[in-house]
Amino acid sequence: MDLSQKTPENIEYMIESIKSKLRMASGAAMNASAFSVDRYEDIQDVYDLVMSKDNLSISEVEALVSELGRLRKS
């Protein structure tokens, strides 16, 4: 997947990948449509971080979920 393009489809791919990796029980609450293409670089930074880790601590997951919440459209 070419994530260099700022598209809603790429945001959806990254958000779904993050939810899967974090095993988010409340993943349904984190819909890709809740994120703006304007925040693409920030979302990609979170995606890159999550995908680079084999394991995440509970505090890391909480921090990442908090960051994703901050990046949502208001």
Side-chain angles (χ1 to χ4, degrees):
M1 175 141 251
D2 179 13
L3 296 178
S4 65
Q5 301 298 315
K6 297 178 182 179
T7 65
E9 292 80 16
N10 282 349
I11 289 176
E12 181 174 357
Y13 173 81
M14 289 188 291
I15 295 299
E16 292 303 317
S17 296
I18 291 167
K19 288 188 324 190
S20 176
K21 181 87 175 205
L22 299 182
R23 296 181 188 97
M24 289 178 62
S26 61
M30 192 69 66
N31 292 323
S33 61
F35 297 89
S36 170
V37 175
D38 295 339
R39 304 307 301 244
Y40 191 87
E41 289 87 4
D42 297 323
I43 296 165
Q44 189 169 22
D45 288 343
V46 173
Y47 170 82
D48 290 340
L49 175 68
V50 169
M51 294 302 130
S52 71
K53 299 263 193 173
D54 288 331
N55 297 307
L56 293 159
S57 70
I58 291 173
S59 60
E60 286 174 315
V61 170
E62 289 173 350
L64 290 165
V65 170
S66 175
E67 179 64 12
L68 287 172
R70 190 184 68 74
L71 295 174
R72 292 177 61 149
K73 293 177 191 173
S74 45

